[in-house]
Amino acid sequence: YIEYLKNYRFDPSEITINLIDGDLKLNIDGTWEKTILWEVPLMALISELFFKHCELDWSITDEQYTQIVSKAQILKHCDSFADFGTRRRRSFEVQDLVVSSFKKLSPNFTGTSNVCLAKKHGVKPIGTMAHQWIMGISALESLKHANRHALKIWSKVFEGRLGIALTDTFGTEAFFEDFDGYLARLFDGVRHDSGDPYVFAEKVIAHYQKLGIFPMSKMIVFSDGLDPSLAAYIADKFKGRIRTSFGIGTNFTN
């Protein structure tokens, strides 16, 4: 697996780009294990090019650092948070500033989903899993119980090192049906990426309790459209009931 990634090279011939009625249209043609890897670099490049050539009224200034300091103050109320901002960043330089600043300012900053910046600044490369992973397994194995198949295969590869399960690929009800006592004990926690975060958290707590699992031994990673104030509010609301962590993207880097 590592050798495959080491030797992997993107093939631009797999991408077709058109501008139709002012909308950018992209088609990625290839086998699944190749096309899935295009998402992050393509989205980051498109976002950066937009702010380089279209939306020009911005630059890296002292004000951006001041905003980071302010956000760090709010996020001190959270046990842990990470940068998930690669795909929609204004630029690499902005994300570099975000990661380096939070590392200096916040002892509860756990890392970044950007592996390059994690290496550069000596922080943890951190993330969960892609929706496309579970979707791909639904085609390879079975749509019925796709979550269960995907999580069991995932655990064989990572052996507990990446233990946060994505919950909303086919809806949370289908996920909870598959997230049985074995998987719920095996995985460190779950990720919230859509829907009402409060309703979701209550369902997760109830699910763990039904399985006889102490919720405070598990974690919810919230990652859906967060800003620091919302993250701090969620952390306070569920303090002492279940552990919480937060992956914040666009609000950090754009």
Side-chain angles (χ1 to χ4, degrees):
Y1 174 60
I2 298 299
E3 194 72 17
Y4 173 81
L5 292 178
K6 178 182 177 181
N7 294 316
Y8 186 83
R9 297 295 181 271
F10 285 104
D11 180 1
S13 68
E14 295 170 352
I15 308 296
T16 303
I17 304 174
N18 292 292
L19 194 63
I20 302 175
D21 297 328
D23 291 330
L24 190 66
K25 304 289 185 182
L26 292 92
N27 187 71
I28 307 170
D29 185 30
T31 52
W32 176 53
E33 82 283 358
K34 292 182 178 180
T35 56
I36 190 175
L37 296 177
W38 275 107
E39 177 188 348
V40 173
L42 276 178
M43 291 185 70
L45 283 167
I46 291 166
S47 183
E48 291 191 43
L49 287 169
F50 176 80
F51 287 102
K52 183 177 181 180
H53 297 288
C54 302
E55 179 55 69
L56 304 178
D57 189 23
W58 74 277
S59 62
I60 298 180
T61 64
D62 291 340
E63 183 184 355
Q64 286 186 305
Y65 180 73
T66 301
Q67 286 190 35
I68 294 171
V69 172
S70 175
K71 292 176 182 183
Q73 282 294 313
I74 298 170
L75 288 163
K76 69 182 181 181
H77 300 288
C78 302
D79 291 333
S80 65
F81 69 92
D83 159 50
F84 280 9
T86 299
R87 292 181 302 171
R88 297 181 180 88
R89 66 191 182 195
R90 279 181 174 245
S91 68
F92 179 88
E93 290 75 21
V94 168
Q95 190 176 18
D96 192 14
L97 176 65
V98 166
V99 174
S100 62
S101 300
F102 278 129
K103 180 188 177 183
K104 178 175 65 176
L105 295 166
S106 302
N108 54 339
F109 177 63
T110 53
T112 174
S113 61
N114 188 295
V115 179
C116 174
L117 289 174
K119 180 179 179 181
K120 177 179 179 180
H121 295 292
V123 299
K124 187 177 182 179
I126 191 168
T128 58
M129 59 184 68
H131 295 86
Q132 291 184 52
W133 160 247
I134 300 171
M135 292 162 66
I137 293 301
S138 75
L140 294 171
E141 298 287 341
S142 170
L143 178 59
K144 189 174 184 180
H145 304 306
N147 290 291
R148 186 178 301 166
H149 289 302
L151 293 179
K152 286 184 176 180
I153 296 169
W154 185 273
S155 68
K156 289 180 181 179
V157 174
F158 292 105
E159 297 180 333
R161 291 179 181 86
L162 288 170
I164 300 297
L166 183 61
T167 58
D168 66 340
T169 306
F170 297 112
T172 54
E173 295 307 318
F175 173 82
F176 285 128
E177 286 181 15
D178 282 349
F179 202 54
D180 56 19
Y182 170 75
L183 291 173
R185 287 175 174 83
L186 182 65
F187 279 77
D188 297 328
V190 298
R191 172 180 160 200
H192 170 263
D193 200 46
S194 62
D196 188 312
Y198 311 106
V199 172
F200 174 81
E202 293 291 355
K203 287 183 177 180
V204 171
I205 292 169
H207 187 71
Y208 280 132
Q209 290 174 333
K210 183 179 71 175
L211 295 172
I213 299 170
F214 182 45
M216 280 299 293
S217 68
K218 299 297 180 179
M219 174 181 286
I220 300 176
V221 176
F222 294 87
S223 62
D224 181 31
L226 294 173
D227 60 52
S229 296
L230 178 57
Y233 183 81
I234 293 172
D236 181 66
K237 185 174 180 64
F238 292 100
K239 190 175 185 65
R241 299 186 63 202
I242 193 166
R243 290 156 52 220
T244 57
S245 185
F246 302 89
I248 302 179
T250 310
N251 184 271
F252 277 175
T253 60
N254 204 339

